[in-house]
Amino acid sequence: MTTITKGAYSLREFQQWAGIGRTKTLNEISVGRLHAVKAGRKVLIPASAAQAWLDALRIRPLSEITMED
Protein backbone atom coordinates (compact mmCIF):
# COMPACT_ATOMS: atom_id res chain seq x y z
CA MET A 1 0.00 0.00 0.00
CA THR A 2 1.34 3.44 -0.96
CA THR A 3 0.82 6.42 1.30
CA ILE A 4 0.62 9.86 -0.24
CA THR A 5 2.30 12.68 1.62
CA LYS A 6 0.59 16.04 1.26
CA GLY A 7 2.74 18.46 -0.73
CA ALA A 8 0.88 21.64 0.22
CA TYR A 9 -1.82 22.89 2.57
CA SER A 10 -4.73 25.21 1.87
CA LEU A 11 -4.91 28.19 4.23
CA ARG A 12 -7.57 26.43 6.30
CA GLU A 13 -5.59 23.18 6.47
CA PHE A 14 -2.45 25.08 7.50
CA GLN A 15 -4.34 26.97 10.19
CA GLN A 16 -5.64 23.70 11.64
CA TRP A 17 -2.18 22.09 11.42
CA ALA A 18 -0.45 25.07 13.05
CA GLY A 19 -3.21 25.91 15.52
CA ILE A 20 -3.35 29.57 14.49
CA GLY A 21 -6.06 31.75 12.98
CA ARG A 22 -6.52 33.30 9.56
CA THR A 23 -5.31 36.77 10.59
CA LYS A 24 -2.08 35.40 12.08
CA THR A 25 -1.53 33.18 9.02
CA LEU A 26 -1.96 36.08 6.59
CA ASN A 27 0.30 38.27 8.74
CA GLU A 28 3.04 35.62 8.73
CA ILE A 29 2.79 35.48 4.93
CA SER A 30 2.79 39.27 4.50
CA VAL A 31 5.91 39.79 6.66
CA GLY A 32 7.73 36.99 4.85
CA ARG A 33 8.03 34.44 7.66
CA LEU A 34 5.75 31.96 5.88
CA HIS A 35 6.11 31.15 2.18
CA ALA A 36 2.90 30.82 0.17
CA VAL A 37 2.16 30.22 -3.51
CA LYS A 38 -0.91 30.78 -5.63
CA ALA A 39 -2.45 28.11 -7.82
CA GLY A 40 -5.05 30.02 -9.76
CA ARG A 41 -7.12 31.75 -7.10
CA LYS A 42 -6.13 29.35 -4.33
CA VAL A 43 -3.35 30.17 -1.84
CA LEU A 44 -1.25 27.16 -0.86
CA ILE A 45 1.41 26.67 1.79
CA PRO A 46 3.99 24.12 0.64
CA ALA A 47 4.50 21.43 3.30
CA SER A 48 8.23 22.22 3.37
CA ALA A 49 7.43 25.91 4.03
CA ALA A 50 5.04 24.97 6.83
CA GLN A 51 7.71 22.86 8.51
CA ALA A 52 10.38 25.57 8.01
CA TRP A 53 8.05 28.15 9.59
CA LEU A 54 7.47 25.89 12.58
CA ASP A 55 11.18 25.14 12.95
CA ALA A 56 12.00 28.87 12.89
CA LEU A 57 9.75 29.71 15.83
CA ARG A 58 11.69 30.75 18.90
CA ILE A 59 11.62 28.10 21.60
CA ARG A 60 11.03 29.56 25.06
CA PRO A 61 10.39 28.03 28.45
CA LEU A 62 6.71 28.02 29.42
CA SER A 63 7.53 30.38 32.31
CA GLU A 64 8.49 33.10 29.77
CA ILE A 65 5.25 32.90 27.78
CA THR A 66 2.54 35.44 28.61
CA MET A 67 -1.03 35.70 27.37
CA GLU A 68 0.03 38.63 25.12
CA ASP A 69 2.35 36.35 23.04
Side-chain angles (χ1 to χ4, degrees), residues 8-24:
Y9 299 100
S10 68
L11 283 179
R12 182 169 291 171
E13 290 170 333
F14 174 79
Q15 291 162 23
Q16 291 173 337
W17 176 84
I20 61 176
R22 182 174 176 84
T23 302
K24 179 67 173 174

Side-chain angles (χ1 to χ4, degrees), residues 10 14 16 23 26 33-34 40 54 57 68:
S10 68
F14 174 79
Q16 291 173 337
T23 302
L26 295 175
R33 287 189 290 255
L34 177 61
L54 184 63
L57 293 177
E68 289 79 40

Side-chain angles (χ1 to χ4, degrees), residues 13 16 20 25 31 33-34 42 45-46 49 51 53 60-61 64 67 69:
E13 290 170 333
Q16 291 173 337
I20 61 176
T25 300
V31 299
R33 287 189 290 255
L34 177 61
K42 191 169 187 99
I45 311 296
Q51 190 60 54
W53 172 82
R60 297 182 288 173
E64 289 184 15
M67 292 306 290
D69 286 343

Side-chain angles (χ1 to χ4, degrees), residues 28-66:
E28 292 294 291
I29 293 168
S30 70
V31 299
R33 287 189 290 255
L34 177 61
H35 178 69
V37 296
K38 286 199 75 164
R41 294 172 51 190
K42 191 169 187 99
V43 176
L44 297 172
I45 311 296
S48 59
Q51 190 60 54
W53 172 82
L54 184 63
D55 293 343
L57 293 177
R58 188 175 137 214
I59 299 173
R60 297 182 288 173
L62 189 57
S63 60
E64 289 184 15
I65 299 173
T66 64

